[in-house]
Amino acid sequence: MEILNYILDMGGSVVMPIIITIIGLIFGQKFSKAFRSGMTIGIGLIGINLITGLMGDYVSPAAQAMVERFGINLSVVDVGWPVSSAIAFATTIVPWVFVTCFVLNIIMLATNTTKTLNIDIWNYWHFILTGSLVQTATGSLILGIIASGLTFIIVMKFADYSAPRVQEYFGLPNVSTPHTETVSWAPLCILLDKIYDKIPGFNKIKFDGDTIQEKLGFLGDPIVLGLILGAFIGLLAGYEPNALITLAVQMSAVMFLLPRMVKILMEGLMPLSEDAKKFMAKRFPGKEVYIGMDAAIATGSPMVVSAALLMIPITLLLAVALPGNKLLPLVDLSTLPFFMIWPVVASRGNLLRAIITGCLMMTAILYIGTDLAGTATAVAQATNFAFPEGATAISSLDIGAHLVPYIIYKILALF
């Protein structure tokens, strides 16, 4: 635990360069090349985190202002994914899950049951969260480990299944995204898009980035689009003109800068991807390996960010309108770009389809987050989490987005 915590406390942007450098050496790269790839990817991740953090710094207060302005009052507090991950890492199941998932990945690669080499070790907290929820609900460490292992296997299969779409849409060769709260929704989003294709009239509507720019001209430019969407959120928040303009400019900056941060990450990833392909072709002819990365690499698309900004007020509206929902979306509204990856990718960038799929997804996420609040609160209490003032129950949109873990949790909780 002390060794793991020492490494993980450095954060993904520090852990990832170390892992990339080691893997680069395994794939036959010179140390200088492997080290530069690792550092470039780490710098790209830092850049992405800075920009998404900038978005959170401005979106969260706007969301809070909307909550106060429209008198939204729900009993379960959204504490956000950073708190969820910290709670997961504080549980006793951590080392067992790390060993289980690492061994499973090696076995699955060796037996050709996955193509994904999951190097996103920092985000193993997704699998740890699954195990901690099941362990808390059942009182069984064994069932918790089984739940984590099952989640890992399913997520790896989903990553393989969805990788061609990720590679095509984002231009990420030999990459997959075994990121639980995003890829869990990939099959559903793809299915919904196939249903849209069967609807007469609706299947002819094209509203992707190129169409928007063609129809709207100057207004369809990502910079201007970010400005408009930011101003729209500011209006809903009831901001004064100076605060509204500030928010609009900041969202414009997010739209402009985020794709560039992803390009920096790609600069480091491409040499690794190419050398991995050569390594496998030489030693294992016909065997293909994907590099499993954090879904953050897919958040740089202007359509993903646009869909996420539009979904902020929609998510708040859903939280109020849905009968039985108790989760107040707040902190995790800034992570909506992660949740909107698959609605956008599945629809090939069609913003209208992405928003419709996003509404269905967020409905499910709110209900799952509400249902898991009791167990999530118990896990938090067991790890001595300091609750926000006045809060008696916690959860998050991120916890609600863990679809595969939720299904496994519901099944194993019966035991």
Side-chain angles (χ1 to χ4, degrees), residues 4-214:
L4 282 173
N5 286 332
Y6 184 82
I7 295 171
L8 295 171
D9 284 347
M10 293 188 288
S13 57
V14 176
V15 174
M16 193 61 74
I18 297 171
I19 296 169
I20 293 293
T21 301
I22 293 170
I23 291 175
L25 292 172
I26 292 171
F27 286 149
Q29 291 182 332
K30 292 182 179 179
F31 176 78
S32 57
K33 186 177 182 181
F35 180 74
R36 191 181 192 284
S37 289
M39 286 301 297
T40 305
I41 289 172
I43 291 166
L45 282 172
I46 289 171
I48 291 170
N49 290 334
L50 284 173
I51 303 306
T52 54
L54 173 70
M55 181 178 172
D57 290 343
Y58 285 88
V59 164
S60 292
Q64 181 67 56
M66 284 186 228
V67 167
E68 294 172 0
R69 187 182 185 199
F70 297 107
I72 302 173
N73 185 22
L74 297 165
S75 60
V76 178
V77 178
D78 172 11
V79 293
W81 75 264
V83 173
S84 302
S85 65
I87 291 171
F89 279 133
T91 58
T92 57
I93 202 173
V94 172
W96 301 101
V97 174
F98 263 91
V99 171
T100 299
C101 294
F102 181 80
V103 170
L104 280 173
N105 200 177
I106 299 300
I107 292 172
M108 292 179 74
L109 284 168
T111 57
N112 293 320
T113 49
T114 188
K115 296 180 180 180
T116 295
L117 173 62
N118 188 356
I119 64 173
D120 188 21
I121 291 176
W122 194 86
N123 277 321
Y124 271 29
W125 77 263
H126 301 155
F127 313 118
I128 296 166
L129 179 67
T130 309
S132 62
L133 290 172
V134 171
Q135 183 184 11
T136 300
T138 64
S140 170
L141 174 64
I142 299 299
L143 285 179
I145 296 170
I146 290 172
S148 297
L150 286 173
T151 301
F152 183 86
I153 292 168
I154 294 170
V155 165
M156 295 293 280
K157 298 301 290 184
F158 281 6
D160 290 345
Y161 165 71
S162 60
R165 290 175 181 262
V166 171
Q167 293 164 11
E168 179 184 357
Y169 188 83
F170 296 107
L172 297 167
N174 290 17
V175 168
S176 67
T177 54
H179 198 251
T180 309
E181 64 264 64
T182 56
V183 80
S184 290
W185 299 92
L188 178 62
C189 292
I190 293 169
L191 174 62
L192 286 170
D193 195 68
K194 289 179 179 179
I195 293 172
Y196 300 150
D197 284 337
K198 304 292 184 182
I199 302 174
F202 185 79
N203 57 10
K204 302 296 183 184
I205 299 174
K206 190 177 181 182
F207 203 58
D208 59 14
D210 292 338
T211 305
I212 291 171
Q213 196 143 10
E214 180 185 335

Side-chain angles (χ1 to χ4, degrees), residues 214-297:
E214 180 185 335
K215 298 292 184 183
L216 299 180
F218 167 73
L219 297 177
D221 185 282
I223 295 176
V224 181
L225 196 58
L227 199 72
I228 294 169
L229 292 173
F232 173 65
I233 293 171
L235 281 172
L236 291 177
Y239 276 1
E240 295 294 328
N242 60 338
L244 185 147
I245 292 169
T246 301
L247 176 61
V249 171
Q250 297 297 334
M251 293 308 101
S252 179
V254 168
M255 290 282 278
F256 180 79
L257 291 172
L258 198 52
R260 282 152 179 78
M261 296 303 104
V262 174
K263 284 182 181 178
I264 292 172
L265 188 148
M266 281 298 300
E267 184 183 327
L269 184 62
M270 288 300 292
L272 177 68
S273 177
E274 290 168 2
D275 287 332
K277 192 172 183 179
K278 291 176 185 175
F279 178 88
M280 298 308 297
K282 183 178 179 180
R283 290 167 177 79
F284 306 98
K287 187 178 178 69
E288 187 177 18
V289 171
Y290 300 145
I291 306 298
M293 295 286 292
D294 190 326
I297 63 173

